[in-house]
Amino acid sequence: MSSEARSPSSPLSPGSPSSPVPPGSLHLPETGGRNRERSLSPMRDYLIPSPLPTRRTRTCSAAARASEGPVYTGTCKCFSRSKGHGFLTPSDGGNDIFVHISDIEGEYVPVTGDEVTYKICSIPPKHEKVQAVEVKITHLAPGSKHETWSGHVISS
């Protein structure tokens, strides 16, 4: 072993980074007695866009196509207020249809068994799937508790 090599018990091994200045001697630059304003972060208020077009993000043309379309009927299969979405089962027996919380109209949060009317809108980018829009509860499920959007609970 050469005399320049460090022993395994030494705190710094060869090639370990070491600071040329002890941490206690570092000081922030003087600002001349004034507080320097921080520049705004380019990521401030940045939200990752949802892949699903909500009522607020849907284009005018997509909203127009949906509003001109036929009205369908179905029942609420499930809906999670905390997740902000659910699924409807069409009356004609087709595949379940996704519904976003922003597309529900009326004062009640849908629960399983509620009868609803809705229109459909295709989901970009491929427009292969659809989601329910303009969802309105027509009949509350009997024997279930319903909650209003403001949090009041009623029994039907």
Side-chain angles (χ1 to χ4, degrees):
M1 180 183 250
S2 73
S3 60
E4 294 176 16
R6 297 185 190 267
S7 70
S9 63
S10 69
L12 293 176
S13 60
S16 292
S18 62
S19 176
V21 180
S25 65
L26 296 175
H27 299 286
L28 294 174
E30 295 295 324
T31 59
R34 62 181 161 80
N35 289 335
R36 186 174 145 212
E37 290 188 28
R38 297 177 66 186
S39 61
L40 294 177
S41 168
M43 298 302 283
R44 190 173 132 232
D45 297 328
Y46 179 76
L47 297 174
I48 298 172
S50 169
L52 297 169
T54 62
R55 183 184 308 189
R56 290 179 289 167
T57 60
R58 195 172 299 126
T59 63
C60 290
S61 60
R65 280 193 306 272
S67 66
E68 293 170 0
V71 176
Y72 298 93
T73 60
T75 57
C76 180
K77 178 180 181 180
C78 61
F79 186 81
S80 172
R81 184 175 183 175
S82 61
K83 292 180 181 177
H85 69 270
F87 291 90
L88 306 177
T89 302
S91 296
D92 64 6
N95 292 334
D96 291 341
I97 298 174
F98 176 85
V99 61
H100 190 266
I101 194 169
S102 67
D103 291 309
I104 297 171
E105 299 177 1
E107 62 179 310
Y108 296 107
V109 178
V111 298
T112 302
D114 285 347
E115 293 179 22
V116 297
T117 60
Y118 60 93
K119 296 181 179 183
I120 59 170
C121 179
S122 61
I123 301 174
K126 295 183 180 180
H127 300 283
E128 294 173 350
K129 296 182 180 180
V130 294
Q131 74 180 56
V133 297
E134 299 181 27
V135 178
K136 297 174 186 148
I137 299 174
T138 55
H139 293 94
L140 300 175
S144 60
K145 291 184 179 181
H146 281 80
E147 181 181 5
T148 63
W149 294 108
S150 60
H152 296 90
V153 178
I154 64 160
S155 295
S156 60

